[in-house]
Amino acid sequence: MHASRVSKRATTKEDADVIVIGAGVAGLVAAFSLAESGQSVMVLEARDRTGGRVYTIADATKKLPIELGAEFIHGRPSEIWDLLREADIPVTEVDGDNWCFERDRLSRCEFFSEVEDILQKMSDDGPDQSFESFLGCCCPEASTEAKRRALSYVSGFNAADPGQVSVHWLVYQMRAEEKMEGDRAFRARGGYAPLLKFIMNGVEKAGVRLRTNTVVRKIAWSPGNVAVEAVSDANTILLHAARVLVTVPVGVLQAAPGETGAIEFSPPLPRDKLNAIAGLEMGKVIRVVLHFRERFWERIRPAGNKSLARMSFLFSQDAVFPTWWTSMPEDFPIITGWAPFACVDRINSDDLPVGRLAVQCLATLLGEEATELQRLLMGAHFHDWQADTYSRGAYSYVKVGGADAPEILSQPVRETLFFAGEASDTSGNNGTVHGAIASALRAVAQIKKAGRVNVRDK
């Protein structure tokens, strides 16, 4: 490939067999696997850290893991459990009581079976439709409350717009969950940080070259030859490889030319690839982790009920933070608020800081004084993934008519451009860490099948 196709401001030239764009879990797992097979690999990451949407921080006492991104392990998928076992990381199943706030009072939740009945009526026979459309014409026997709960579940769990999310895709997702006990949830001891550390150790031992603070601007390519233009430490650099593996979130692939983080492909991606990218959407979520001096909710005893000491999840129809969860069965004094879809816009339009707004919401649901909770608060932690130009959302979902979008996105272009990341997972596990890992292993297999090309021979 001729250097003239890329900016002549480039000041650095390096070679690799494969350049991986993005140091999230998918990019790191793929880089390690490729390097282990004998390929020279370079990873380019725009942020100053690795992990992507896996982002664990420690609170002020450095004892509690605070997850600002992925937190749960959904079911028992081998892709992530095999790594956890190899790393000898303990895993705890989520446990505890589910509470609901409705009609201005707290009570034990009893709506799950009704919601499940509605979801089981979804079908991928016939034309695709949005979940909102499906709900409007299905289940005449279901109560209005059950339908409202089903709507909240789909928008909350998938961070999706019910008016856009594909029923065909939701059905595919449900089938995938059934294969791996997806109704169970787990957490790794210490959060996702120990697993990320284990993966990074493998990456380093395998000799992968990692460059952080390196923002890719352009990928100029022809079959078997790639030139990547990026900006690193205010310098424009030019990197060459035989192949490139793109693992950035679909929100970044959708970014308009000229926007921060946007990647230009020259020549452009094929039309079917562009259509697939357009058939996906990034869900919107703001999550806030409130760290208190004590588990104050243990002393709360709703009328006629036991205390909230074993509260795991708290569901409501609050317009801002409708879902909360604790660290059960761990007894950490932290509680997480989850604001999906339209809630994000309400938060952004409010004048109050996110942490204070969350405290007020939680106080209302638990019948406590906001001033007292504010006094007990040690810290409020959150990361706005929508405003993060290298994510542009939380995780992906499939829009109506785009059920084949992940499969199309997963396919290589001329055995030169390869794609991985949760949005390209073809097993129905979009939006999960194990889906990201599965996509990385699939991409590695595709690259190996394509055969070895030495960029230095070009």
Side-chain angles (χ1 to χ4, degrees):
M1 177 167 295
H2 299 292
S4 61
R5 294 186 63 181
V6 185
S7 170
K8 293 184 179 179
R9 291 177 293 117
T11 59
T12 302
K13 178 178 178 180
E14 298 183 46
D15 292 334
D17 293 326
V18 182
I19 291 177
V20 178
I21 300 177
V25 169
L28 294 174
V29 169
F32 166 75
S33 299
L34 289 167
E36 281 284 280
S37 71
Q39 306 220 38
S40 62
V41 182
M42 183 187 305
V43 178
L44 308 181
E45 169 56 47
R47 300 183 177 92
D48 60 359
R49 61 174 181 84
T50 61
R53 285 167 285 169
V54 169
Y55 191 13
T56 309
I57 64 172
D59 74 308
T61 67
K62 300 195 181 299
K63 294 180 180 180
L64 306 181
I66 304 293
E67 298 287 27
L68 300 182
E71 175 175 352
F72 297 104
I73 300 165
H74 299 280
R76 301 184 64 87
S78 60
E79 293 87 355
I80 193 167
W81 280 86
D82 288 348
L83 284 174
L84 291 166
R85 292 189 190 97
E86 187 178 352
D88 197 24
I89 298 173
V91 175
T92 304
E93 185 162 9
V94 174
D95 192 14
D97 303 327
N98 295 320
W99 289 84
C100 283
F101 181 85
E102 50 191 356
R103 300 181 183 86
D104 296 327
R105 68 184 184 89
L106 286 168
S107 61
R108 297 291 294 275
C109 297
E110 299 178 349
F111 65 85
F112 294 110
S113 61
E114 289 183 286
V115 170
E116 183 66 19
D117 288 344
I118 291 174
L119 297 180
Q120 289 298 328
K121 287 182 170 58
M122 291 190 299
S123 171
D124 54 1
D125 293 333
D128 197 8
Q129 60 182 323
S130 71
F131 183 75
E132 191 173 71
S133 297
F134 157 79
L135 205 56
C137 60
C138 91
C139 324
E141 75 286 355
S143 66
T144 301
E145 179 67 16
K147 289 188 176 184
R148 183 164 59 88
R149 289 288 185 185
L151 200 69
S152 297
Y153 171 79
V154 168
S155 63
F157 185 78
N158 298 286
D161 179 349
Q164 289 197 70
V165 65
S166 161
V167 164
H168 284 188
W169 174 71
L170 290 172
V171 170
Y172 189 47
Q173 181 187 63
M174 287 174 58
R175 289 173 182 157
E177 291 172 355
E178 290 170 359
K179 295 177 182 177
M180 58 173 194
E181 302 179 69
D183 58 332
R184 301 172 66 185
F186 305 82
R187 293 187 185 91
R189 185 70 56 84
Y192 267 103
L195 181 61
L196 182 61
K197 182 179 180 181
F198 175 75
I199 295 171
M200 279 299 301
N201 286 340
V203 166
E204 292 168 3
K205 289 178 181 178
V208 173
R209 287 170 287 167
L210 171 66
R211 299 185 65 130
T212 56
N213 293 306
T214 302
V215 182
V216 172
R217 285 182 172 176
K218 185 176 183 179
I219 299 173
W221 65 279
S222 60
N225 205 340
V226 177
V228 176
E229 179 185 337
V231 175
S232 179
D233 296 326
N235 295 315
T236 301
I237 60 175
L238 180 64
L239 307 171
H240 288 269
R243 297 188 170 100
V244 64
L245 173 58
V246 180
T247 73
V248 299
V250 72
V252 176
L253 293 177
Q254 294 171 340
E259 291 186 352
T260 303
I263 300 174
E264 177 190 354
F265 290 85
S266 178
L269 294 175
R271 176 53 54 188
D272 66 335
K273 192 74 70 177
L274 295 174
N275 289 340
I277 292 170
L280 296 160
E281 190 61 73
M282 287 293 281
K284 295 195 296 186
V285 167
I286 288 180
R287 57 175 289 164
V288 59
V289 183
L290 302 179
H291 177 201
F292 294 98
R293 300 181 189 281
E294 60 188 52
R295 287 168 52 90
F296 67 88
W297 53 92
E298 290 184 344
R299 66 172 182 265
I300 299 175
R301 304 184 70 89
N305 281 296
K306 60 182 183 180
S307 79
L308 302 183
R310 283 184 47 79
M311 180 175 68
S312 181
F313 280 83
L314 170 60
F315 300 98
S316 75
Q317 291 298 314
D318 184 80
V320 182
F321 286 99
T323 304
W324 295 83
W325 61 79
T326 69
S327 59
M328 282 292 294
E330 302 284 0
D331 60 354
F332 300 149
I334 59 177
I335 187 166
T336 300
W338 183 256
F341 178 46
C343 300
V344 172
D345 296 329
R346 298 186 188 108
I347 290 173
N348 290 334
S349 65
D350 200 289
D351 293 332
L352 283 179
V354 173
R356 182 161 294 186
L357 190 62
V359 167
Q360 287 189 357
C361 171
L362 184 62
T364 298
L365 297 179
L366 298 182
E368 296 288 293
E369 291 293 332
T371 52
E372 174 62 11
L373 298 198
Q374 200 68 48
R375 184 185 69 80
L376 293 173
L377 187 68
M378 295 185 67
H381 309 274
F382 76 98
H383 182 82
D384 188 344
W385 295 101
Q386 288 69 232
D388 186 328
T389 53
Y390 305 121
S391 291
R392 298 174 179 264
Y395 45 85
S396 70
Y397 65 90
V398 174
K399 295 192 292 187
V400 176
D404 59 351
E407 173 65 34
I408 295 172
L409 180 58
S410 74
Q411 296 303 309
V413 179
R414 303 292 298 275
E415 297 186 338
T416 303
L417 307 180
F418 297 81
F419 296 83
E422 54 85 13
S424 71
D425 173 65
T426 59
S427 64
N429 294 301
N430 306 66
T432 66
V433 175
H434 61 267
I437 295 172
S439 77
L441 298 177
R442 179 261 307 150
V444 168
Q446 290 172 330
I447 292 172
K448 289 180 179 178
K449 183 179 179 180
R452 188 74 173 270
V453 177
N454 192 333
V455 70
R456 295 169 181 81
D457 296 335
K458 289 290 179 180

